[in-house]
Amino acid sequence: MAELEGLEFGKSDFVLLDEVTMEQFMENLKLRFEKGRIYTFIGEVVVSVNPYREMDIYGKETIDAYRGRELYENPPHLYAVSDAAYKAMKRRAKDTCIVISGESGAGKTEASKYIMQYIAAITNPTQRAEVESVKNVLLKSNCVLEAFGNAKTNRNDNSSRFGKYMDINFNFNGDPTGGHINNYLLEKSRVVHQQDGERNFHSFYQLLRGGSNEMLESFHLQSDPAVYTYTREGAAITTTNNDRTSHKAVMSALNVIGFSEEEINSIYQILATILLLGNMQFECDGESVQIVGLEAVNHISELTATDPESVSKSLLYRTVATGGGEVIEKGHSEQDACFGRDAFAKALYERLFGWIVSRINTVIEVKDYNPMLHGKNTVIGVLDIYGFEIFDNNSFEQFCINYCNEKLQQLFIELILRQEQGEYQREGITWQHIDYFNNQIIVDLVEQPHKGIISILDEACLTVGNVTDTVCLDSMDTKLAQHPHYTSRKLSPTDKTMDFQKHFRIRHYAGDVTYSVEGFLDKNKDMLFQDFKRLMYNSANPVLKEMWPDGHLSITEVTKRPLTAATLFKNSIVALVDKLACKEPYYVRCIKPNEMKSPVLFDDARCQHQVAYLGLMENVMVRRAGFAYRQPYSRFLQRYKMTCEYTWPQHLMASDREAVETIVTQHGFQDDVAYGHTKLFVRTPRSLFTLEQERAALIPILVLFLQKVWRGALARMRCRRMRAIYAIMGCYKRYKVKAHFWEVERRFANVRTMADYGKSVDWPTPPAALSQFHNITVMWWARQIVKNIPPSDMPEVRSKVAALTALSGERKDWGVSRPWERDYLVRDCPQTSSSFTRVSKELRNKDEYSQVLFSGFCRKVNRFNKSTDRGLLVTDKYVYKLEPKKQNFLVLKRLPLDGFTGLSVTSGVDQMVVLHTSSQDDVLLCLQRGALCPNQDRVGELVGAMVDHFTRKLQLNTSQRLRPTSVSVETKPGQTSADFKKSRDGFTLFVPGN
């Protein structure tokens, strides 16, 4: 608990100071720094002092200790304010932002990284892959942006030389779904010039010291930074960063984010191009300027995938279009060529950095988000932007950076001080007014239209003629002479700290800053010759081409004059402030304890100056006199009404205020609150936390109750729906049955008088409930047809039906259209009929068979492929092979009918038949057609007679409760089926024996 910290560590919240004086504030701040307590609260604002050493307070155990806890429950920490912002976003679906401010070297970049790590650690407990991917990209993007946007300065080994604002998007579960990064004012002048003791951007040193030999050789580079003009100043400077290790980390991060190998190679090709450009020298031969040594040109041409001649031409000449549309080439002077080279190098790096940011955004931006499907998309913004800077030589970049800090300080004043006091006055809360410095006057000095410094710079840049930095300074002195926060040597002749026609001074909220006007206009114009833009746009490298879309314009094409660098920066900062103002802000105010980067030295004067210009004293006074939490009565009641029996579920009081008073009184907080006209004000977070605890305990009970009620309602609705469904189904079924009967009655009204008893009438499709009835009615129709058939014709009908069923249409012609005589040995040869009749009677008397199933002449084929004429007699007990030539029909062989296991025929028109026996002694024969009807097919008759016989025998055995025989069709060896199945060789009717 924060309030349980020992007194030896000082006060964990500056609001708890005995007296709000600068002396006590500084004494408490110094004590906590010396005791290793680098974080201190001012209400919900965290004051962070850079420890200049590694501290073991950011591990998993610390994250777990702060996860889901209230601000005052743990000692002050970045994690506490991060969790507060996250809870506000998740609980109240409010967009929040964390603004990290302070001067250069105060620890803002490290603070933003720890905040990002905490948010990543507490989200996505289910480890969903897509959320983990977003978190990894968000975290790895810091590594990449630091490499390309940070540099070592005299104040900081890892100083951000650009501003960064990152929006992190969350779904309704509180898991990150994407984000967006905005970058502001990259200090591109550092690419070509650094102050003494400072380095170029980290990326150059990482490439040279961390790149493999193969990579450097392919880029025509050497590993020593001292070889290159742009990195020579920082080559011998030692830093806490290991360039070789950092290079490996950046390469890994680029791969994780999703950069392709071609894109990564293009990034480092551009860095190599910039280094080679810096070493390029020019010489004048009297009339024209030439490049010293063309080897560098060829290397640059290779790295940028452009033509060497075009590279040389862009560096030595400027193409200009005259008023008449004529295009001329104007040669550079040696000084102009060097200026163009440096401008090209700065522009290359600036475009590269902007492309990297946009490329990261394409990966992390939320795509196709549908609030109806995924819930409200909430945002936490993290602002890590350059701090207030005062150098020995302050130029255009410091002017823009300090203007940005003025705008952020104005936002802090607006939200924390002025709005706070204004709200108390509007709500009628007793309040003692607190004086504070409003820096709006300084913001107006810089950005006011027509009168501000930016407007004066823009006017000078637009003026035709030789307008110099000195002329611009004179203009500022004239227009701003009466401004209390502006001065120059001309306006203050006795101030010898400034030079005539060179310096001007602005009295910022953080202190006085003297700026050198030299280079202001050139940096504000930010002019780059169109030749370079066209050169890069025509590159064969798609990454370079994408970075320079404005290179497609022809030299004669007239375009609108681009906005100046200062105006573009002002517009982006105004948009940033507007974006922050619409979010619930949380602040981290960073303090730099000393200039020596010492972990033990606390410079009282240095820190007191920062406390003063950050407005921390005023913040303590406002927070000490004010209230930590305020909420409209309706929203407070909506959230906490379940904690009081008199307000749940709906109160019966005259107003929401009375209901809120009832809740407060029941919990005993009446001394810790104030009642405004429309809002309740709670002084300490403890009261609110007690309400949150009670609400959290009641929520599961209410959820269970609501689930029970809702489930009951759903069950009753489902029951009523099912009853209605079944009632409708019953009515519909009855209707379909009746409709079917009516249709059958209509169609078959006159079938008794029809010759075919309605055979030609189509039956209506029956409903499912009448399928059995439909089969019965169809059988009735069949019985009407069959009962008119004479009994003498019934055996033939049964045989034909059996053959039809067995052959299943696989044999085209099987004799269905002709009468079946059965006994063809009598019919085909009348002269021998008397002999066969005599033999038939003898066999009947001897073997006691009851009927002849089939008889006829045939040709038998033996295993030697020899054929002979024979007679075939099939009875209900035996199959006889007869000798017809001797006209006495001698019985050559008698086989029991039950000994046959199958019958095979083909699908053609031939009369081949194979009789299969259980002894594997099959009989192959060919039925002979009759003399009177040579085209008769008798195979179907033989099949029908045998199938009908065995089917009737099966039915008889079944009715007598005997072990039935079965009739089936062999489809595969060892398997049977009830149907014939076509095979390559024909059909097999399988008739098992008893």
Side-chain angles (χ1 to χ4, degrees), residues 184 385 403-404 407 569-578:
Y184 302 94
I385 205 160
Y403 160 67
C404 170
K407 290 291 289 185
F569 182 69
K570 181 192 74 172
N571 294 341
S572 64
I573 294 301
V574 169
L576 171 65
V577 170
D578 291 341

Side-chain angles (χ1 to χ4, degrees), residues 58-129:
Y58 305 103
K60 184 178 185 301
E61 293 182 358
T62 308
I63 291 174
D64 293 337
Y66 283 86
R67 186 198 305 263
R69 313 301 292 183
E70 297 300 323
L71 271 173
Y72 66 86
E73 287 189 274
N74 284 306
H77 201 288
L78 284 174
Y79 292 167
V81 72
S82 304
D83 198 80
Y86 180 75
K87 286 202 299 285
M89 178 275 300
K90 190 174 181 181
R91 285 179 180 174
R92 304 196 298 271
K94 293 189 67 174
D95 291 343
T96 61
C97 65
I98 302 174
V99 180
I100 308 170
S101 58
E103 68 176 52
S104 179
K108 300 184 300 300
T109 299
E110 291 300 311
S112 69
K113 287 195 288 188
Y114 287 130
I115 290 171
M116 292 287 294
Q117 289 174 5
Y118 179 80
I119 293 174
I122 65 173
T123 54
N124 193 30
T126 58
Q127 297 295 305
R128 289 170 51 208

Side-chain angles (χ1 to χ4, degrees), residues 540-777:
N541 187 329
V543 174
L544 267 173
K545 189 179 183 71
E546 184 181 348
M547 293 180 191
W548 299 83
D550 47 350
H552 75 282
L553 299 174
S554 66
I555 189 61
T556 58
E557 192 169 349
V558 179
T559 59
K560 185 179 179 181
R561 180 183 293 270
L563 297 176
T564 62
T567 300
L568 287 173
F569 182 69
K570 181 192 74 172
N571 294 341
S572 64
I573 294 301
V574 169
L576 171 65
V577 170
D578 291 341
K579 186 180 293 187
L580 295 175
C582 67
K583 294 178 172 61
E584 183 173 320
Y586 292 82
Y587 284 91
V588 178
R589 311 292 263 174
C590 297
I591 293 178
K592 186 176 182 179
N594 59 77
E595 291 289 347
M596 307 303 294
K597 303 174 187 175
S598 169
V600 295
L601 180 62
F602 188 88
D603 188 336
D604 292 83
R606 190 84 182 80
C607 294
Q608 183 172 335
H609 174 70
Q610 295 174 73
V611 169
Y613 78 67
L614 287 173
L616 299 185
M617 288 294 296
E618 292 86 347
N619 193 2
V620 173
M621 293 177 185
V622 171
R623 181 61 64 175
R624 188 182 176 98
F627 298 85
Y629 177 82
R630 72 286 318 272
Q631 192 75 275
Y633 291 123
S634 58
R635 292 192 62 180
F636 183 90
L637 182 63
Q638 181 68 28
R639 185 166 184 84
Y640 301 112
K641 63 181 180 180
M642 72 281 295
T643 64
C644 178
E645 58 183 328
Y646 302 108
T647 57
W648 178 260
Q650 296 294 337
H651 69 86
L652 301 176
M653 302 171 196
S655 65
D656 288 346
R657 173 172 175 168
E658 292 185 21
V660 170
E661 290 179 1
T662 302
I663 295 174
V664 172
T665 303
Q666 177 171 317
H667 290 85
F669 301 150
Q670 54 268 31
D671 296 332
D672 197 40
V673 301
Y675 299 97
H677 300 312
T678 62
K679 293 181 179 180
L680 174 72
F681 291 79
V682 183
R683 189 177 302 276
T684 62
R686 171 169 290 281
S687 300
L688 190 67
F689 178 62
T690 303
L691 285 173
E692 282 290 338
Q693 280 187 316
E694 187 169 346
R695 180 180 182 273
L698 290 172
I699 286 295
I701 301 173
L702 295 177
V703 169
L704 288 175
F705 174 75
L706 292 174
Q707 286 179 341
K708 180 185 72 173
V709 174
W710 180 240
R711 285 170 180 162
L714 287 178
R716 286 187 290 273
M717 291 168 57
R718 192 179 300 112
C719 181
R720 289 194 295 268
R721 190 180 299 113
M722 293 301 295
R723 285 178 179 174
I725 289 172
Y726 283 125
I728 294 172
M729 288 172 60
C731 293
Y732 184 70
K733 285 180 179 179
R734 287 192 292 273
Y735 163 74
K736 292 293 288 183
V737 168
K738 291 179 181 179
H740 182 70
F741 288 155
W742 294 334
E743 182 63 18
V744 170
E745 182 182 6
R746 185 186 67 79
R747 294 191 184 189
F748 290 89
N750 302 316
V751 295
R752 294 183 182 274
T753 61
M754 297 172 64
D756 59 356
Y757 287 92
K759 179 181 178 181
S760 59
V761 178
D762 294 330
W763 287 84
T765 303
L770 292 180
S771 58
Q772 186 175 1
F773 170 78
H774 176 72
N775 294 335
I776 295 172
T777 54

